[in-house]
């Protein structure tokens, strides 16, 4: 079955960067894109961007352009999300989710998430 | 940016009843770009419905989706205690590429 294993919780200072990983199993990694979505306390789910599992091209939400970088290692079936210049508002659970496949646009499997806490 | 507004904020019903959850978009959304998710406390979201009305793998037929344009609905019939959760709708817009989510409807089974 499709599963994702996230890296562990992180605590970062304001201004720092964080890199979160998510290792996929149960399917051919290169056949699906991987998205990153975050959920801050009391806030809506928020999409950060995605990476094509095969060719590795990326798309980012405009509000995170220049601050987020999504990469992948196909040999390890792992996707990474790095967020820089952290502020307190970046405290959230960061999820990876598998793209369900076009022409529909949805996320069919999600990881359990990584809690990132920004604190001084 | 397309904003999704869900109503009601909280819904409290009894087992066996039917729940009707609404998702309204600030602009027209392609039906193929609308999905619904269920999230229980401490868990990741779980896909229920994609393309507005297609059930995801393993989702019971008590869950059904409908709608078009700016108004979409998730109906959960014959409610069970395990249906207690927060339900989100989600859409995709291609220009610029952006997925957005509704604020959620909390369903309580009394």
């Amino acid at each position: 079955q499709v599963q994702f294993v996230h890296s562990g919780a992180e605590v970062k200072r304001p201004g720092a960067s964080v890199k979160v990983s998510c290792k996929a199993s149960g399917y051919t990694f290169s056949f699906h894109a991987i998205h990153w979505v975050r959920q801050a306390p009391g806030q809506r789910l928020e999409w950060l961007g995605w990476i094509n599992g095969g060719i590795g091209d990326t798309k980012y939400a405009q509000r995170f352009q220049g601050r987020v970088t999504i990469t992948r290692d196909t040999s390890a079936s792992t996707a990474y999300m790095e967020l820089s210049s952290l502020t307190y508002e970046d405290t959230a659970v960061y999820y990876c989710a598998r793209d369900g496949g076009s022409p529909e646009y949805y996320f069919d499997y999600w990881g359990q998430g990584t809690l990132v806490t920004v604190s001084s | 940016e397309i904003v999704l507004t869900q109503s009601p904020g909280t819904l409290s019903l009894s087992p066996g009843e039917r729940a009707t959850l609404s998702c309204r978009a600030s602009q027209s959304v392609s039906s193929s770009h609308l999905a619904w998710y269920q999230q229980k406390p401490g868990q990741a979201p779980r896909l229920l419905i994609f393309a507005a009305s297609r059930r995801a793998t393993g989702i019971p037929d008590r869950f059904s989706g409908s709608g078009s344009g700016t108004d979409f609905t998730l109906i959960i019939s014959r409610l069970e205690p395990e249906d207690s959760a927060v339900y989100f709708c989600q859409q995709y817009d291609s220009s610029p590429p952006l997925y957005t989510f509704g604020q959620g409807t909390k369903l309580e089974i009394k």
Side-chain angles (χ1 to χ4, degrees), chain B residues 26-90:
Chain B
S26 60
Q27 304 170 44
S28 185
V29 171
S30 168
S31 294
S32 65
H33 298 180
L34 196 288
W36 289 91
Y37 302 87
Q38 176 193 67
Q39 187 177 33
K40 297 182 179 180
Q43 297 185 17
R46 173 194 180 200
L47 176 68
L48 298 174
I49 300 287
F50 65 98
S53 61
R54 298 176 63 182
R55 268 188 302 277
T57 303
I59 301 302
D61 61 6
R62 301 187 297 106
F63 293 85
S64 63
S66 64
S68 63
T70 60
D71 289 296
F72 297 88
T73 301
L74 174 69
I75 290 177
I76 312 169
S77 58
R78 304 184 302 279
L79 286 170
E80 299 180 0
E82 68 201 47
D83 297 331
S84 291
V86 178
Y87 292 83
F88 298 96
C89 54
Q90 165 254 308

Side-chain angles (χ1 to χ4, degrees), chain A residues 8-20:
Chain A
E10 302 264 12
V11 179
K12 295 291 182 182
R13 302 284 195 200
S17 297
V18 67
K19 190 170 185 177
V20 177

Side-chain angles (χ1 to χ4, degrees), chain A residues 62-82:
Chain A
Q62 275 191 342
R63 73 179 297 248
F64 295 104
Q65 285 274 6
R67 210 161 67 89
V68 68
T69 304
I70 298 174
T71 56
R72 95 274 186 253
D73 178 350
T74 53
S75 66
S77 298
T78 299
Y80 304 89
M81 187 285 302
E82 184 170 19

Side-chain angles (χ1 to χ4, degrees), chain A residues 39 44-45 104-105 107 111, chain B residues 4 37 39 44 54 90 101:
Chain A
Q39 189 169 36
R44 299 177 184 227
L45 290 157
E104 295 87 10
Y105 293 83
F107 316 111
Chain B
L4 300 179
Y37 302 87
Q39 187 177 33
R54 298 176 63 182
Q90 165 254 308
F101 294 83

